[in-house]
Structure formats: C-alpha cells, structure tokens
Amino acid sequence: MRLILISGLSGSGKSVALRALEDSGFYCVDNLPATMLPEALELYADFGYQDIAISVDTRSGPSLGALPDVVAQLRAQNIDVRLLFLEARPETLVKRFSETRRRHPLSGAGITVEEAIQVEQEMLSDVPELGTRIDTSELSANALRSWVRELVDADSGKLTLIFQSFGFKHGVPQDADFVFDVRCLPNPHYDQALRPFTGRDQPIIDFFAKHSEVAEMIADIQAMIAKWLPCYNKENRSYLTVAIGCTGGQHRSVFIAENLARAFAGKQVLVRHRQLYRDH
C-alpha cells in the first residue's frame, strides 16, 4: 500500500494537490482525523485500494496532535507513507482568501485572517518535519500539480535531491534546505539580445561558458553537497531541496540548477524552476 498524506496551511493548495493525485489514480479522502488513519487504511485494504491520498489538517481539530505518532506507527508496519506539507507566505495566503472571498477555517468573530494564519502555523508546527515541504507562494495550480506528481513518482526508498532555481526579488523559498546566492556572477539580463532567453537556452549557455567563475561556483556547490549528502542519507530523509537564487530567477540560477542536476545524475534528482513556472 502507498499512502500520501497532504497537509499544510489553508489556502496553500491542498485541494489542488489532492485532485492531482485523484487524477493519477489515487483513492482520495479529504479531511480525515489523524487518529482514524490506521482503521481507515485497514478498510481501504479490504476494498482492494493500494494507492491512497488523504488530507489531514487543522480542520480535524485536536486529533492533529496525534499525527506524528500515527505516521511512525504506519511506517513501522512497512506502509509506504509520504507526507507533503504545503505552505505559502502569509501575505500570499491573505491575498488568496481575499481574491476567492473564502472564509479561513479558523477565523471567527474578532479574529482576522492574518491572526487565523498565525494560529494555524502554530498548530501545524510539528508536521513539516514528517515529510517534504512545498512552498506554493509563487506557483500556479498547473505547476503545483506537476510538482506533486513528480514527488509521488519518485522512489521512496531513495533520497531525492531537488535543485530549485528562484529569484530573490520574488522571495526565498520556504521549503529550501540549502540556499545558495549566485547574484555575484555575470548577469546576461543586461544584454538586450540575451534577456528573453532562460538558463536552459543555448545563447545563455554560451554566455556562461565564457566566464570561468561560473564553473567555479558550480564546482564549489557540487563539492559541498557531495560532502554532506551521506549525513542526510543517514537521517533517512526522503527529500533534500537545494535552492539556487539569482535576481530574477531566469538565467544564472536556472543554468546552475540544471548543471548541478546533471552532476548528480547518478542520484534520484528533480529539477524545479520556480520563476519559469509562474505563468504556466
């Protein structure tokens, strides 16, 4: 049996993630109390379901506190349990609730959306460490669906290295384990002929090939990750996210993320380009 748990902040895209899994053939359940997970899985197994996705969040109330123990119990039974924790910056969540005119599940008389978000963050503080985090602040629904499917398709028995490019002017990803700032490198943005391209296009690749410091930066980052990767493997982690940031997230960070992914091709690797996905 394969169990994907979806948790996170209200407005972060949990419904989108759950629907993406449903479209991929998972039997999906929204808002199940954590304490009911073992009994529910026994029932689903009797019905012949093997791929199951369940949303567990603050709507289930006090039972949420039992989630860490329940996850440990299920993993001890050799059930493939993966938890995806979705989050976004508070200002992004406030904007989403305002645009959709939805009510925050924890809001009430005298409680603002901002205060409800803060309360929810505190209630969920122990959950992110149970799985992998996805910062949806800059993601479209299509990009989130794609990222969720990629994570689910990865072999759970291996640590997945995620190389993620981003632009500092759009904010640092909250889901990053390592953040490398490459804004000191030559910037093709200032060449009008190169500006429309991205770090995956040949004109940008040719541009960086002329600057030795770019190759040196890639080698240094690669060496650090290679040195410490065994330590993260010992922790039995499922994912390690390495974020590479430049100013706009179009050229330098994209080029370096792509090169690092190739350097670790023998590992289980995913590549994300946060700013390239914004309009798709």
Side-chain angles (χ1 to χ4, degrees):
M1 177 180 289
R2 182 166 55 154
L3 172 63
I4 307 298
L5 296 177
I6 302 293
S7 190
L9 300 173
S10 301
S12 62
K14 298 191 300 295
S15 296
V16 172
L18 204 61
R19 285 195 296 270
L21 293 175
E22 187 173 32
D23 292 342
S24 297
F26 279 75
Y27 179 78
C28 295
V29 180
D30 186 24
N31 188 24
L32 186 72
T35 50
M36 293 182 61
L37 282 171
E39 296 178 8
L41 292 185
E42 289 183 10
L43 180 62
Y44 301 148
D46 290 340
F47 288 154
Y49 295 116
Q50 291 299 312
D51 290 334
I52 301 168
I54 299 176
S55 174
V56 180
D57 51 47
T58 53
R59 291 173 294 171
S60 60
S63 73
L64 182 65
L67 185 59
D69 290 337
V70 171
V71 169
Q73 174 188 339
L74 296 176
R75 286 174 174 165
Q77 298 172 5
N78 292 322
I79 296 176
D80 182 3
V81 182
R82 308 186 211 180
L83 185 141
L84 303 182
F85 185 87
L86 276 58
E87 59 190 331
R89 293 190 294 271
E91 60 271 24
T92 300
L93 296 174
V94 170
K95 181 180 178 182
R96 288 174 181 172
F97 277 106
S98 175
E99 290 176 343
T100 61
R101 298 185 180 180
R102 289 176 51 221
R103 175 183 175 275
H104 191 287
L106 301 182
S107 65
I111 300 179
T112 65
V113 173
E114 292 89 341
E115 291 169 338
I117 291 170
Q118 185 175 357
V119 170
E120 189 172 41
Q121 287 174 325
E122 295 171 355
M123 293 176 65
L124 292 165
S125 60
D126 293 333
V127 179
E129 64 184 28
L130 300 176
T132 188
R133 299 162 61 194
I134 302 178
D135 181 357
T136 69
S137 301
E138 296 289 325
L139 291 185
S140 66
N142 284 338
L144 176 57
R145 282 190 283 267
S146 175
W147 288 20
V148 167
R149 285 192 289 263
E150 287 177 349
L151 288 170
V152 170
D153 288 342
D155 185 347
S156 62
K158 300 178 182 178
L159 183 146
T160 301
L161 264 175
I162 301 172
F163 293 103
Q164 177 173 319
S165 69
F166 73 96
F168 274 97
K169 71 178 183 180
H170 301 289
V172 177
Q174 298 182 111
D175 52 6
D177 297 299
F178 287 105
V179 176
F180 292 97
D181 183 349
V182 299
R183 287 176 292 184
C184 62
L185 298 177
N187 190 356
H189 173 81
Y190 296 111
D191 186 329
Q192 291 289 344
L194 296 178
R195 186 175 296 181
F197 297 102
T198 76
R200 294 183 295 186
D201 297 323
Q202 195 60 46
I204 302 300
I205 295 172
D206 295 340
F207 171 86
F208 286 131
K210 301 173 184 177
H211 298 277
S212 61
E213 60 266 47
V214 177
E216 291 176 16
M217 175 72 81
I218 294 171
D220 286 346
I221 297 174
Q222 179 184 344
M224 179 178 175
I225 296 171
K227 177 179 179 180
W228 293 105
L229 194 57
C231 293
Y232 289 95
N233 268 315
K234 289 179 183 178
E235 287 189 336
N236 294 318
R237 293 181 60 140
S238 297
Y239 308 97
L240 184 70
T241 300
V242 180
I244 313 295
C246 60
T247 304
Q250 299 288 325
H251 302 115
R252 292 167 290 183
S253 61
V254 172
F255 176 80
I256 290 178
E258 291 282 345
N259 275 266
L260 288 170
R262 285 192 290 271
F264 288 91
K267 308 291 183 182
Q268 185 164 252
V269 173
L270 295 177
V271 184
R272 299 172 174 171
H273 299 301
R274 193 179 70 173
Q275 261 50 72
L276 300 190
Y277 283 120
R278 294 186 73 201
D279 299 323
H280 301 284

